[in-house]
Amino acid sequence: MQTPSCKYCEAQWSYGETFKNIFKPRMICSHCGEENYYQSNSKNSWITLFGIPIVLIVALLLDLSTSLIILISIILVIVHIALFPYRTQLKKKEKK
Ligand SMILES: [Zn+2]
């Protein structure tokens, strides 16, 4: 797993830098100032979220308490968000 690198200057973005940019439509490279865009490519990018229904089913089978189920779901969501920078790929601004 790797953090993305700028499509213009090839500088690798740090985890924090990527994370700050993730929630913006335009991701400005702090090295060269160019605009990069989020490229969604990986098929398994939502795999942690797909894990939630599986956890729920297992929890029901094991008869776990509701609060424990909620806790596990929250942890999965946090893990999902925390791993976002590693799944992010950048692409150049599309020319029109
Ligand atoms: Zn750059």
Side-chain angles (χ1 to χ4, degrees):
M1 291 210 295
Q2 267 194 321
T3 51
S5 51
C6 174
K7 282 284 169 277
Y8 294 91
C9 68
E10 304 291 321
Q12 189 167 10
W13 290 13
S14 68
Y15 181 91
E17 189 179 3
T18 311
F19 202 85
K20 267 188 291 176
N21 274 307
I22 269 171
F23 304 102
K24 301 172 189 167
R26 294 182 304 164
M27 302 159 100
I28 309 293
C29 175
S30 66
H31 305 273
C32 66
E34 291 285 354
E35 291 173 7
N36 286 264
Y37 287 83
Y38 183 77
Q39 159 113 27
S40 57
N41 64 331
S42 49
K43 287 173 230 140
N44 61 351
S45 65
W46 296 97
I47 204 149
T48 32
L49 285 188
F50 287 142
I52 292 175
I54 296 164
V55 167
L56 289 178
I57 291 164
V58 171
L60 286 172
L61 291 173
L62 296 176
D63 207 15
L64 297 177
S65 68
T66 312
S67 52
L68 191 59
I69 295 168
I70 293 168
L71 185 70
I72 293 167
S73 303
I74 290 169
I75 290 168
L76 276 176
V77 171
I78 290 168
V79 167
H80 178 76
I81 294 167
L83 293 179
F84 233 110
Y86 295 113
R87 286 194 304 264
T88 302
Q89 298 268 309
L90 300 174
K91 66 177 180 184
K92 287 185 179 178
K93 188 178 181 178
E94 259 140 49
K95 292 187 182 101
K96 283 175 189 152

Coordinates of all heavy atoms in Angstrom, one line a residue:
M1 N 0.8 -1.2 0.0 CA 0.0 0.0 0.0 C 0.9 1.2 0.0 O 1.9 1.3 0.7 CB -0.9 0.0 1.2 CG -2.0 -1.1 1.2 SD -3.4 -0.6 2.1 CE -2.8 -0.5 3.7
Q2 N 0.5 2.2 -0.8 CA 1.3 3.4 -0.9 C 0.3 4.6 -1.0 O -0.8 4.5 -1.5 CB 2.1 3.4 -2.2 CG 3.5 2.8 -2.0 CD 4.3 3.1 -3.3 OE1 3.8 3.0 -4.4 NE2 5.6 3.4 -3.0
T3 N 0.8 5.7 -0.5 CA 0.1 7.0 -0.7 C 0.3 7.4 -2.2 O 1.3 7.0 -2.8 CB 0.6 8.0 0.3 OG1 2.0 8.1 0.2 CG2 0.2 7.7 1.7
P4 N -0.6 8.2 -2.7 CA -0.4 8.5 -4.1 C 0.7 9.5 -4.4 O 1.2 10.2 -3.5 CB -1.8 9.2 -4.5 CG -2.3 9.7 -3.2 CD -1.8 8.8 -2.1
S5 N 1.1 9.6 -5.7 CA 2.1 10.6 -6.0 C 1.5 11.5 -7.1 O 0.6 11.1 -7.9 CB 3.3 10.0 -6.5 OG 3.0 9.0 -7.5
C6 N 1.9 12.8 -7.1 CA 1.4 13.8 -8.0 C 1.7 13.4 -9.4 O 2.7 12.9 -9.8 CB 2.2 15.1 -7.7 SG 1.8 16.4 -8.8
K7 N 0.7 13.6 -10.3 CA 0.8 13.2 -11.7 C 1.6 14.2 -12.5 O 2.0 14.0 -13.6 CB -0.6 13.1 -12.3 CG -1.3 11.8 -11.9 CD -0.7 10.6 -12.7 CE -1.1 9.3 -12.1 NZ -0.4 8.8 -10.9
Y8 N 2.0 15.3 -11.9 CA 2.7 16.3 -12.6 C 4.2 16.3 -12.2 O 5.1 16.2 -13.0 CB 2.1 17.7 -12.3 CG 0.7 17.9 -12.8 CD1 -0.4 17.6 -12.1 CD2 0.6 18.4 -14.1 CE1 -1.6 17.7 -12.6 CE2 -0.7 18.5 -14.7 CZ -1.8 18.2 -13.9 OH -3.1 18.3 -14.4
C9 N 4.5 16.4 -10.9 CA 5.9 16.5 -10.4 C 6.4 15.2 -9.9 O 7.5 15.1 -9.5 CB 6.0 17.6 -9.4 SG 5.2 17.3 -7.9
E10 N 5.5 14.1 -9.8 CA 5.9 12.8 -9.3 C 6.2 12.8 -7.8 O 6.7 11.7 -7.3 CB 7.1 12.2 -10.1 CG 6.9 12.2 -11.6 CD 5.9 11.1 -12.0 OE1 5.9 10.0 -11.4 OE2 5.1 11.4 -12.9
A11 N 6.0 13.8 -7.1 CA 6.3 13.8 -5.7 C 5.3 13.0 -5.0 O 4.1 13.1 -5.3 CB 6.3 15.3 -5.1
Q12 N 5.7 12.1 -4.1 CA 4.8 11.3 -3.4 C 4.1 12.1 -2.2 O 4.8 12.8 -1.5 CB 5.5 10.1 -2.8 CG 4.5 9.1 -2.3 CD 5.1 7.7 -2.0 OE1 6.3 7.6 -2.0 NE2 4.2 6.8 -1.7
W13 N 2.8 12.0 -2.2 CA 2.1 12.8 -1.1 C 2.2 12.0 0.2 O 2.1 10.8 0.2 CB 0.7 13.0 -1.5 CG 0.5 13.9 -2.6 CD1 1.5 14.4 -3.5 CD2 -0.7 14.5 -3.1 NE1 0.9 15.3 -4.4 CE2 -0.4 15.4 -4.2 CE3 -2.0 14.4 -2.6 CZ2 -1.4 16.1 -4.8 CZ3 -3.0 15.2 -3.3 CH2 -2.7 16.0 -4.4
S14 N 2.4 12.7 1.3 CA 2.4 12.1 2.6 C 0.9 11.7 2.9 O 0.0 12.1 2.3 CB 2.9 13.0 3.6 OG 2.0 14.1 3.8
Y15 N 0.9 10.8 3.9 CA -0.4 10.4 4.4 C -1.3 11.6 4.8 O -2.5 11.7 4.3 CB -0.3 9.4 5.6 CG -1.5 8.9 6.1 CD1 -2.1 7.7 5.6 CD2 -2.3 9.6 7.1 CE1 -3.2 7.2 6.1 CE2 -3.4 9.1 7.6 CZ -3.9 7.9 7.1 OH -5.1 7.4 7.6
G16 N -0.8 12.5 5.6 CA -1.6 13.6 6.0 C -2.0 14.5 4.9 O -3.1 15.0 4.9
E17 N -1.1 14.7 4.0 CA -1.3 15.6 2.8 C -2.5 15.0 2.0 O -3.4 15.7 1.5 CB -0.1 15.7 2.0 CG -0.1 16.7 0.9 CD 1.2 16.7 0.1 OE1 2.1 15.9 0.4 OE2 1.3 17.6 -0.8
T18 N -2.4 13.7 1.8 CA -3.5 13.0 1.0 C -4.8 13.1 1.7 O -5.8 13.4 1.1 CB -3.1 11.6 0.8 OG1 -1.8 11.5 0.3 CG2 -4.0 10.9 -0.2
F19 N -4.7 12.9 3.0 CA -5.9 12.8 3.8 C -6.6 14.2 3.8 O -7.9 14.3 3.7 CB -5.6 12.4 5.3 CG -6.8 11.9 6.0 CD1 -7.1 10.5 5.9 CD2 -7.6 12.7 6.8 CE1 -8.2 10.0 6.5 CE2 -8.7 12.2 7.4 CZ -9.0 10.8 7.3
K20 N -5.9 15.3 3.9 CA -6.4 16.6 3.9 C -7.1 16.9 2.6 O -8.1 17.6 2.5 CB -5.3 17.7 4.1 CG -5.1 18.0 5.5 CD -4.1 19.2 5.6 CE -2.7 18.8 5.2 NZ -1.7 19.8 5.2
N21 N -6.6 16.3 1.5 CA -7.1 16.6 0.2 C -8.3 15.7 -0.3 O -9.0 16.1 -1.2 CB -6.0 16.5 -0.9 CG -5.2 17.7 -1.0 OD1 -5.7 18.8 -1.2 ND2 -3.9 17.6 -0.8
I22 N -8.5 14.7 0.5 CA -9.4 13.6 0.0 C -10.8 14.2 -0.1 O -11.6 13.8 -0.9 CB -9.3 12.4 1.0 CG1 -8.3 11.4 0.4 CG2 -10.7 11.7 1.2 CD1 -8.0 10.3 1.4
F23 N -11.2 15.1 0.8 CA -12.6 15.5 0.9 C -12.8 16.7 0.0 O -13.9 17.3 0.0 CB -12.9 15.8 2.3 CG -12.7 14.6 3.2 CD1 -11.6 14.5 4.0 CD2 -13.6 13.5 3.1 CE1 -11.4 13.4 4.8 CE2 -13.4 12.4 3.9 CZ -12.3 12.3 4.8
K24 N -11.8 17.1 -0.8 CA -12.0 18.2 -1.7 C -12.1 17.7 -3.1 O -11.5 16.7 -3.4 CB -10.8 19.1 -1.6 CG -10.5 19.7 -0.2 CD -9.2 20.5 -0.3 CE -8.8 20.9 1.1 NZ -7.4 21.3 1.2
P25 N -12.8 18.4 -4.0 CA -12.9 17.9 -5.4 C -11.6 18.1 -6.1 O -11.3 17.3 -7.0 CB -14.1 18.8 -5.9 CG -14.2 19.9 -5.0 CD -13.7 19.5 -3.7
R26 N -10.9 19.1 -5.8 CA -9.6 19.4 -6.4 C -8.5 19.2 -5.4 O -8.6 19.7 -4.3 CB -9.5 20.8 -7.0 CG -10.5 21.1 -8.1 CD -10.3 22.5 -8.6 NE -10.4 23.4 -7.5 CZ -10.0 24.7 -7.6 NH1 -9.4 25.2 -8.7 NH2 -10.2 25.5 -6.6
M27 N -7.5 18.4 -5.7 CA -6.5 18.1 -4.8 C -5.2 18.8 -5.3 O -4.6 18.5 -6.3 CB -6.2 16.6 -4.7 CG -7.5 15.9 -4.3 SD -7.5 14.1 -4.8 CE -7.0 13.4 -3.2
I28 N -4.8 19.9 -4.5 CA -3.7 20.7 -4.9 C -2.4 20.1 -4.4 O -2.3 19.8 -3.2 CB -3.9 22.1 -4.4 CG1 -5.2 22.7 -4.8 CG2 -2.7 23.0 -4.9 CD1 -5.5 22.9 -6.3
C29 N -1.5 19.9 -5.3 CA -0.2 19.3 -4.8 C 0.6 20.4 -4.1 O 0.7 21.5 -4.6 CB 0.6 18.8 -6.1 SG 2.3 18.3 -5.7
S30 N 1.1 20.1 -2.9 CA 1.8 21.1 -2.2 C 3.3 21.3 -2.7 O 4.0 22.2 -2.3 CB 1.9 20.8 -0.7 OG 2.6 19.6 -0.5
H31 N 3.7 20.4 -3.6 CA 5.0 20.5 -4.2 C 5.1 21.4 -5.4 O 6.0 22.2 -5.6 CB 5.5 19.1 -4.5 CG 5.5 18.2 -3.3 ND1 6.5 18.1 -2.4 CD2 4.5 17.3 -2.9 CE1 6.2 17.2 -1.4 NE2 4.9 16.7 -1.7
C32 N 4.1 21.2 -6.3 CA 4.1 22.0 -7.5 C 2.9 22.9 -7.7 O 2.8 23.7 -8.6 CB 4.3 21.1 -8.7 SG 2.9 20.0 -9.0
G33 N 1.9 22.7 -6.9 CA 0.7 23.5 -6.9 C -0.3 23.2 -8.0 O -1.3 23.9 -8.2
E34 N 0.0 22.1 -8.7 CA -1.0 21.6 -9.8 C -2.2 20.9 -9.2 O -2.1 20.4 -8.1 CB -0.2 20.7 -10.8 CG 0.8 21.4 -11.6 CD 0.3 22.2 -12.7 OE1 -1.0 22.2 -12.9 OE2 1.0 22.9 -13.4
E35 N -3.2 21.0 -10.0 CA -4.5 20.3 -9.5 C -4.5 18.8 -9.9 O -4.3 18.5 -11.1 CB -5.7 21.0 -10.1 CG -5.9 22.4 -9.6 CD -7.0 23.1 -10.3 OE1 -7.7 22.5 -11.2 OE2 -7.2 24.3 -10.1
N36 N -4.7 18.0 -9.0 CA -4.8 16.6 -9.3 C -6.3 16.2 -8.9 O -6.9 16.9 -8.1 CB -3.9 15.7 -8.4 CG -2.5 15.8 -8.9 OD1 -2.0 14.9 -9.7 ND2 -1.7 16.8 -8.5
Y37 N -6.7 15.2 -9.6 CA -8.1 14.8 -9.3 C -8.1 13.3 -8.8 O -7.3 12.5 -9.2 CB -9.0 14.9 -10.6 CG -9.3 16.4 -10.8 CD1 -8.3 17.2 -11.5 CD2 -10.4 16.9 -10.4 CE1 -8.6 18.5 -11.7 CE2 -10.7 18.3 -10.6 CZ -9.7 19.1 -11.3 OH -10.0 20.4 -11.4
Y38 N -9.2 13.0 -8.1 CA -9.3 11.7 -7.6 C -9.6 10.7 -8.7 O -10.5 10.9 -9.5 CB -10.4 11.7 -6.5 CG -10.6 10.3 -5.9 CD1 -9.7 9.9 -4.9 CD2 -11.6 9.5 -6.2 CE1 -9.9 8.7 -4.3 CE2 -11.8 8.3 -5.6 CZ -10.9 7.9 -4.6 OH -11.1 6.7 -4.0
Q39 N -8.9 9.7 -8.7 CA -9.1 8.6 -9.7 C -9.6 7.4 -9.0 O -8.9 6.8 -8.2 CB -7.8 8.4 -10.4 CG -7.7 7.0 -11.1 CD -7.7 7.2 -12.6 OE1 -7.2 8.2 -13.1 NE2 -8.1 6.2 -13.3
S40 N -10.8 7.0 -9.3 CA -11.3 5.8 -8.7 C -11.1 4.6 -9.6 O -11.5 4.6 -10.7 CB -12.8 6.0 -8.3 OG -13.5 6.2 -9.5
N41 N -10.3 3.8 -9.1 CA -10.0 2.6 -10.0 C -10.1 1.3 -9.3 O -10.6 0.3 -9.8 CB -8.5 2.8 -10.5 CG -7.5 2.7 -9.4 OD1 -7.8 3.1 -8.3 ND2 -6.3 2.2 -9.7
S42 N -9.7 1.3 -8.0 CA -9.6 0.0 -7.3 C -11.0 -0.6 -7.1 O -11.9 0.1 -6.5 CB -8.8 0.1 -6.1 OG -9.2 1.1 -5.3
K43 N -11.1 -1.8 -7.4 CA -12.4 -2.5 -7.3 C -12.7 -2.8 -5.8 O -13.8 -2.8 -5.4 CB -12.4 -3.9 -8.0 CG -12.5 -3.7 -9.5 CD -12.2 -5.1 -10.2 CE -11.2 -4.9 -11.3 NZ -10.3 -6.0 -11.3
N44 N -11.6 -2.9 -5.0 CA -11.8 -3.3 -3.6 C -11.9 -2.1 -2.7 O -11.7 -2.2 -1.5 CB -10.8 -4.3 -3.2 CG -9.4 -3.7 -3.3 OD1 -9.2 -2.6 -3.9 ND2 -8.4 -4.4 -2.8
S45 N -12.1 -0.9 -3.3 CA -12.0 0.3 -2.4 C -13.1 0.3 -1.3 O -12.9 1.0 -0.3 CB -12.0 1.6 -3.3 OG -13.3 1.7 -3.9
W46 N -14.2 -0.4 -1.6 CA -15.2 -0.3 -0.6 C -15.3 -1.6 0.2 O -16.3 -1.9 0.9 CB -16.6 -0.1 -1.3 CG -16.6 1.3 -1.9 CD1 -16.3 1.6 -3.2 CD2 -16.8 2.5 -1.2 NE1 -16.3 3.0 -3.4 CE2 -16.6 3.6 -2.2 CE3 -17.1 2.9 0.1 CZ2 -16.8 4.9 -1.9 CZ3 -17.2 4.2 0.4 CH2 -17.1 5.2 -0.6
I47 N -14.2 -2.4 0.2 CA -14.3 -3.7 0.8 C -14.5 -3.7 2.3 O -15.2 -4.5 2.8 CB -13.0 -4.5 0.4 CG1 -13.2 -6.0 0.5 CG2 -11.8 -4.1 1.3 CD1 -12.4 -6.8 -0.5
T48 N -14.0 -2.7 2.9 CA -14.2 -2.6 4.4 C -15.7 -2.3 4.7 O -16.2 -2.7 5.7 CB -13.3 -1.5 5.1 OG1 -13.1 -0.5 4.2 CG2 -12.0 -2.1 5.5
L49 N -16.3 -1.5 3.8 CA -17.7 -1.2 4.0 C -18.6 -2.5 3.7 O -19.6 -2.7 4.4 CB -18.2 -0.1 3.1 CG -17.8 1.3 3.6 CD1 -18.4 2.4 2.8 CD2 -18.1 1.5 5.1
F50 N -18.2 -3.2 2.7 CA -18.9 -4.5 2.5 C -18.7 -5.4 3.6 O -19.6 -6.3 3.8 CB -18.3 -5.2 1.2 CG -18.7 -4.5 -0.1 CD1 -17.8 -4.4 -1.1 CD2 -20.0 -4.0 -0.2 CE1 -18.2 -3.7 -2.3 CE2 -20.3 -3.3 -1.4 CZ -19.4 -3.2 -2.4
G51 N -17.7 -5.2 4.4 CA -17.5 -6.1 5.6 C -18.6 -5.9 6.7 O -18.8 -6.8 7.5
I52 N -19.2 -4.7 6.7 CA -20.2 -4.4 7.7 C -21.4 -5.4 7.7 O -21.7 -6.0 8.8 CB -20.7 -2.9 7.7 CG1 -19.5 -2.0 8.0 CG2 -21.8 -2.7 8.6 CD1 -19.7 -0.6 7.9
P53 N -22.1 -5.6 6.6 CA -23.2 -6.6 6.6 C -22.7 -7.9 7.0 O -23.4 -8.7 7.7 CB -23.7 -6.5 5.2 CG -22.8 -5.7 4.4 CD -22.0 -4.9 5.3
I54 N -21.5 -8.3 6.6 CA -21.0 -9.6 7.0 C -20.8 -9.7 8.5 O -21.2 -10.7 9.2 CB -19.6 -9.9 6.3 CG1 -19.9 -10.0 4.8 CG2 -19.0 -11.2 6.8 CD1 -18.6 -9.9 3.9
V55 N -20.3 -8.6 9.1 CA -20.1 -8.6 10.5 C -21.5 -8.6 11.2 O -21.7 -9.3 12.2 CB -19.4 -7.2 11.0 CG1 -19.5 -7.0 12.5 CG2 -17.9 -7.3 10.5
L56 N -22.5 -7.9 10.6 CA -23.8 -8.0 11.2 C -24.4 -9.4 11.2 O -25.0 -9.8 12.2 CB -24.7 -7.0 10.4 CG -24.4 -5.5 10.6 CD1 -25.4 -4.7 9.8 CD2 -24.6 -5.1 12.1
I57 N -24.2 -10.1 10.1 CA -24.7 -11.4 10.0 C -24.1 -12.3 11.1 O -24.7 -13.1 11.8 CB -24.6 -12.0 8.6 CG1 -25.5 -11.2 7.6 CG2 -24.8 -13.5 8.5 CD1 -25.1 -11.4 6.2
V58 N -22.7 -12.2 11.1 CA -22.0 -13.0 12.1 C -22.4 -12.7 13.5 O -22.7 -13.6 14.3 CB -20.5 -12.8 11.9 CG1 -19.7 -13.5 13.1 CG2 -20.0 -13.3 10.6
A59 N -22.6 -11.4 13.7 CA -23.0 -10.9 15.1 C -24.4 -11.5 15.4 O -24.6 -11.9 16.6 CB -23.1 -9.4 15.1
L60 N -25.3 -11.5 14.5 CA -26.6 -12.1 14.7 C -26.5 -13.6 15.0 O -27.2 -14.1 15.9 CB -27.6 -11.8 13.5 CG -28.0 -10.4 13.4 CD1 -28.8 -10.2 12.0 CD2 -28.9 -10.0 14.5
L61 N -25.7 -14.3 14.3 CA -25.5 -15.7 14.5 C -24.9 -16.0 15.8 O -25.3 -17.0 16.5 CB -24.6 -16.3 13.4 CG -25.2 -16.3 12.0 CD1 -24.2 -16.8 11.0 CD2 -26.4 -17.2 11.9
L62 N -24.0 -15.1 16.2 CA -23.4 -15.3 17.5 C -24.2 -14.7 18.7 O -23.8 -14.8 19.8 CB -22.0 -14.7 17.5 CG -21.0 -15.4 16.5 CD1 -19.6 -14.6 16.6 CD2 -20.7 -16.9 16.9
D63 N -25.3 -14.0 18.3 CA -26.1 -13.4 19.3 C -25.4 -12.4 20.2 O -25.5 -12.4 21.4 CB -26.8 -14.5 20.2 CG -28.1 -14.0 20.8 OD1 -28.6 -13.0 20.2 OD2 -28.6 -14.6 21.7
L64 N -24.6 -11.5 19.5 CA -23.9 -10.5 20.2 C -24.8 -9.3 20.6 O -25.9 -9.2 19.9 CB -22.7 -9.9 19.3 CG -21.6 -10.9 18.9 CD1 -20.7 -10.2 18.0 CD2 -20.9 -11.5 20.1
S65 N -24.4 -8.6 21.5 CA -25.3 -7.5 21.9 C -25.2 -6.3 20.9 O -24.3 -6.2 20.1 CB -24.8 -6.9 23.3 OG -23.6 -6.3 23.1
T66 N -26.3 -5.5 20.9 CA -26.4 -4.5 19.9 C -25.3 -3.5 20.0 O -24.7 -3.0 19.0 CB -27.8 -3.7 20.1 OG1 -28.8 -4.7 20.2 CG2 -28.1 -2.8 18.9
S67 N -24.9 -3.1 21.2 CA -23.9 -2.1 21.4 C -22.5 -2.6 20.8 O -21.8 -1.9 20.3 CB -23.7 -1.8 22.9 OG -23.6 -2.9 23.6
L68 N -22.3 -3.9 21.0 CA -21.0 -4.5 20.4 C -21.1 -4.5 18.9 O -20.1 -4.1 18.3 CB -20.9 -5.9 20.9 CG -19.5 -6.6 20.7 CD1 -18.4 -5.8 21.3 CD2 -19.5 -8.0 21.2
I69 N -22.2 -4.8 18.3 CA -22.4 -4.7 16.9 C -22.1 -3.3 16.4 O -21.4 -3.1 15.4 CB -23.8 -5.2 16.4 CG1 -24.0 -6.7 16.8 CG2 -24.0 -5.0 14.9 CD1 -25.4 -7.1 16.7
I70 N -22.7 -2.3 17.0 CA -22.5 -0.9 16.6 C -21.0 -0.6 16.8 O -20.5 0.1 15.9 CB -23.4 0.0 17.5 CG1 -24.9 -0.2 17.2 CG2 -23.0 1.5 17.3 CD1 -25.8 0.4 18.1
L71 N -20.4 -1.0 17.8 CA -19.0 -0.7 18.0 C -18.1 -1.3 16.9 O -17.3 -0.6 16.4 CB -18.5 -1.3 19.4 CG -17.1 -0.9 19.8 CD1 -17.0 0.5 20.2 CD2 -16.7 -1.8 21.0
I72 N -18.4 -2.5 16.5 CA -17.6 -3.1 15.5 C -17.8 -2.4 14.2 O -16.9 -2.1 13.4 CB -18.0 -4.6 15.3 CG1 -17.6 -5.4 16.6 CG2 -17.4 -5.2 14.1 CD1 -18.2 -6.8 16.7
S73 N -19.1 -2.0 13.9 CA -19.4 -1.2 12.7 C -18.7 0.1 12.6 O -18.1 0.5 11.6 CB -20.9 -1.0 12.6 OG -21.6 -2.2 12.6
I74 N -18.6 0.8 13.8 CA -17.9 2.1 13.8 C -16.4 1.8 13.6 O -15.8 2.6 12.8 CB -18.2 2.7 15.2 CG1 -19.6 3.2 15.3 CG2 -17.2 3.9 15.4 CD1 -20.0 3.7 16.7
I75 N -15.9 0.8 14.2 CA -14.4 0.5 13.9 C -14.2 0.2 12.5 O -13.2 0.8 11.9 CB -14.0 -0.7 14.8 CG1 -14.0 -0.3 16.3 CG2 -12.6 -1.2 14.4 CD1 -13.8 -1.5 17.2
L76 N -15.1 -0.5 11.8 CA -14.9 -0.8 10.4 C -14.9 0.5 9.5 O -14.1 0.7 8.6 CB -16.0 -1.7 9.9 CG -15.7 -3.2 10.1 CD1 -16.9 -4.0 9.7 CD2 -14.5 -3.7 9.4
V77 N -15.8 1.4 9.9 CA -15.9 2.7 9.2 C -14.7 3.5 9.4 O -14.1 4.1 8.4 CB -17.2 3.5 9.6 CG1 -17.2 4.9 9.0 CG2 -18.5 2.7 9.2
I78 N -14.2 3.5 10.6 CA -12.9 4.3 10.9 C -11.8 3.7 10.1 O -11.0 4.4 9.5 CB -12.7 4.3 12.4 CG1 -13.7 5.2 13.1 CG2 -11.3 4.8 12.7 CD1 -13.7 5.0 14.7
V79 N -11.7 2.4 10.1 CA -10.6 1.7 9.3 C -10.7 2.0 7.9 O -9.7 2.4 7.2 CB -10.6 0.2 9.6 CG1 -9.8 -0.6 8.6 CG2 -10.2 -0.2 11.0
H80 N -11.9 2.0 7.4 CA -12.2 2.3 6.0 C -11.7 3.7 5.6 O -11.0 4.0 4.7 CB -13.7 2.2 5.7 CG -14.1 2.6 4.3 ND1 -13.8 1.8 3.3 CD2 -14.6 3.7 3.8 CE1 -14.2 2.4 2.1 NE2 -14.7 3.6 2.4
I81 N -12.0 4.7 6.5 CA -11.6 6.1 6.3 C -10.1 6.2 6.4 O -9.4 6.9 5.6 CB -12.4 7.1 7.2 CG1 -13.9 7.0 6.8 CG2 -11.8 8.5 7.1 CD1 -14.8 7.7 7.9
A82 N -9.5 5.6 7.4 CA -8.1 5.7 7.7 C -7.3 5.1 6.6 O -6.1 5.6 6.3 CB -7.8 4.9 9.0
L83 N -7.8 4.2 5.8 CA -7.0 3.6 4.7 C -7.2 4.3 3.4 O -6.6 3.9 2.4 CB -7.4 2.1 4.6 CG -7.0 1.2 5.7 CD1 -7.5 -0.3 5.4 CD2 -5.5 1.2 6.0
F84 N -8.1 5.3 3.4 CA -8.4 6.0 2.2 C -7.2 6.5 1.4 O -7.1 6.3 0.2 CB -9.4 7.1 2.5 CG -10.6 7.1 1.6 CD1 -11.8 6.8 2.1 CD2 -10.5 7.4 0.3 CE1 -13.0 6.7 1.3 CE2 -11.6 7.3 -0.5 CZ -12.9 7.0 0.0
P85 N -6.2 7.2 2.1 CA -5.1 7.7 1.3 C -4.3 6.6 0.6 O -3.7 6.9 -0.5 CB -4.2 8.3 2.4 CG -5.2 8.7 3.5 CD -6.2 7.6 3.5
Y86 N -4.3 5.4 1.1 CA -3.6 4.3 0.4 C -4.3 3.8 -0.8 O -3.7 3.2 -1.7 CB -3.4 3.2 1.4 CG -2.5 3.6 2.6 CD1 -3.0 3.6 3.8 CD2 -1.1 3.9 2.3 CE1 -2.2 4.0 4.9 CE2 -0.3 4.3 3.4 CZ -0.8 4.3 4.7 OH 0.0 4.7 5.7
R87 N -5.6 4.1 -0.9 CA -6.3 3.6 -2.0 C -6.5 4.7 -3.1 O -7.0 4.5 -4.2 CB -7.7 3.1 -1.6 CG -7.7 1.8 -0.9 CD -9.1 1.3 -0.8 NE -10.0 2.2 -0.1 CZ -10.3 2.2 1.2 NH1 -9.8 1.2 1.9 NH2 -11.0 3.1 1.7
T88 N -6.1 5.9 -2.7 CA -6.4 7.1 -3.6 C -5.3 7.0 -4.7 O -4.2 6.8 -4.5 CB -6.2 8.4 -2.8 OG1 -7.2 8.4 -1.7 CG2 -6.5 9.6 -3.7
Q89 N -5.8 7.2 -5.9 CA -5.0 7.4 -7.1 C -5.3 8.8 -7.6 O -6.5 9.2 -7.6 CB -5.3 6.3 -8.1 CG -5.1 4.9 -7.7 CD -3.7 4.4 -8.0 OE1 -3.2 4.6 -9.1 NE2 -3.0 4.0 -7.0
L90 N -4.3 9.4 -8.2 CA -4.5 10.7 -8.7 C -4.5 10.7 -10.2 O -3.9 9.8 -10.8 CB -3.4 11.7 -8.3 CG -3.3 11.8 -6.7 CD1 -2.1 12.7 -6.4 CD2 -4.5 12.5 -6.2
K91 N -5.2 11.6 -10.8 CA -5.2 11.8 -12.2 C -5.0 13.3 -12.6 O -5.4 14.1 -11.8 CB -6.4 11.2 -12.9 CG -7.7 11.9 -12.6 CD -8.8 11.2 -13.4 CE -10.1 11.9 -13.0 NZ -11.3 11.3 -13.7
K92 N -4.5 13.5 -13.8 CA -4.4 14.9 -14.2 C -5.7 15.5 -14.5 O -6.7 14.8 -14.8 CB -3.5 15.0 -15.4 CG -2.0 14.7 -15.1 CD -1.2 14.9 -16.3 CE 0.3 14.7 -16.0 NZ 1.1 14.8 -17.2
K93 N -5.7 16.8 -14.4 CA -6.9 17.6 -14.8 C -7.2 17.3 -16.3 O -6.3 17.3 -17.2 CB -6.6 19.1 -14.7 CG -7.8 20.0 -14.9 CD -7.3 21.4 -14.6 CE -8.4 22.4 -14.8 NZ -8.0 23.8 -14.5
E94 N -8.5 17.0 -16.6 CA -8.9 16.6 -17.9 C -8.9 17.9 -18.8 O -9.4 18.9 -18.4 CB -10.2 16.0 -18.0 CG -10.1 14.5 -18.1 CD -11.1 13.7 -17.2 OE1 -12.2 14.0 -17.3 OE2 -10.6 12.8 -16.5
K95 N -8.3 17.8 -20.0 CA -8.2 18.9 -20.9 C -9.5 19.0 -21.7 O -10.1 17.9 -22.1 CB -7.1 18.7 -21.8 CG -5.7 18.9 -21.1 CD -4.6 18.9 -22.1 CE -3.3 19.0 -21.4 NZ -2.6 17.7 -21.3
K96 N -10.0 20.2 -21.8 CA -11.3 20.3 -22.5 C -11.1 21.1 -23.8 O -10.2 21.9 -23.8 CB -12.3 21.1 -21.6 CG -12.9 20.1 -20.6 CD -13.8 20.8 -19.6 CE -14.1 19.8 -18.5 NZ -14.5 20.5 -17.3
Ligands
ZN1 ZN 3.1 18.0 -7.8

